Amino acid sequence: MNTFSSLYNLLFDQKTFFAENVPKGLKIPFLITAVYAAVSALASIPLLGDATALVPAELSGVVIGSGIVSAVIMTFVTWVFVSAMFFACLKFIGYAECSFKEILAVCSYVSVILIISAVLTTLVWFIGTAPAILLLALQGVFLLWSIPVWYFGFASVCDIPAKKLRVCVAVPVIVMALFSLMSLIGA
């Protein structure tokens, strides 16, 4: 299967994607996450530019540099944390037979959707300051778009009944949605 049709299936026909591409190893998942980390770091530059106005001019490079490094590191930390959250649910709620490495691989495929999210969010910021509720709605759309990737990805690597799998995907998704909502309220 060629790359374009695989990408199309990952974005719009996740069941077919994971039926044809059961995750093996972490080479491709790491690469996908690294690309997302780079896009995320580049997308943070306009926001970091605004932050440099608050510090002396000689420190602006330090602010931008540390912000970019932080964005890359946090991308990988978030990948591991979200994978661990799903892994815990799959093991403790679903009693699934799978390894953390397999769950880590599946969770990395969501980074393709997050790349699209980062690009769109950056474009929104270039247009003007978006209301927080609009950004929250945009996050919600991309979170909902990620659910089939997790569901069919976990189904391809775990031996778990569909009902338990739905619960194992729903719990972390609800936690992520609440975290986003609480971040908006706190801002």
Side-chain angles (χ1 to χ4, degrees):
M1 178 175 273
N2 67 27
T3 304
F4 180 74
S5 60
S6 289
L7 181 60
Y8 176 84
N9 286 340
L10 176 61
L11 295 174
F12 303 110
D13 188 7
Q14 294 84 7
K15 186 175 184 178
T16 301
F17 176 81
F18 284 107
E20 297 171 354
N21 303 296
V22 176
K24 295 177 182 91
L26 288 176
K27 183 179 174 185
I28 292 174
F30 184 83
L31 182 63
I32 292 169
T33 305
V35 169
Y36 171 56
V39 169
S40 180
L42 291 173
S44 70
I45 290 174
L47 297 173
L48 293 170
D50 293 341
T52 60
L54 303 173
V55 296
E58 58 271 1
L59 293 177
S60 62
V62 173
V63 170
I64 291 174
S66 62
I68 289 171
V69 170
S70 296
V72 170
I73 291 170
M74 285 309 298
T75 299
F76 284 99
V77 168
T78 302
W79 175 38
V80 171
F81 179 76
V82 168
S83 298
M85 197 166 49
F86 278 113
F87 183 71
C89 286
L90 287 164
K91 285 294 189 178
F92 298 119
I93 296 173
Y95 303 106
E97 297 280 333
C98 56
S99 69
F100 182 68
K101 183 178 171 181
E102 292 170 322
I103 301 308
L104 200 60
V106 168
C107 287
S108 73
Y109 287 103
V110 172
S111 294
V112 174
I113 295 170
L114 295 176
I115 290 169
I116 296 168
S117 172
V119 169
L120 286 177
T121 304
T122 302
L123 291 174
V124 167
W125 279 108
F126 280 127
I127 293 169
T129 304
I133 195 75
L134 173 69
L135 295 175
L136 182 66
L138 195 58
Q139 283 180 343
V141 166
F142 286 102
L143 181 62
L144 290 174
W145 192 4
S146 302
I147 291 171
V149 175
W150 289 315
Y151 182 84
F152 292 113
F154 298 149
S156 73
V157 298
C158 297
D159 184 25
I160 183 172
K163 186 175 182 178
K164 284 187 177 184
L165 181 56
R166 284 191 295 271
V167 172
C168 292
V169 171
V171 169
V173 167
I174 291 169
V175 169
M176 286 184 258
L178 288 174
F179 182 77
S180 293
L181 187 61
M182 296 307 269
S183 296
L184 175 69
I185 292 170

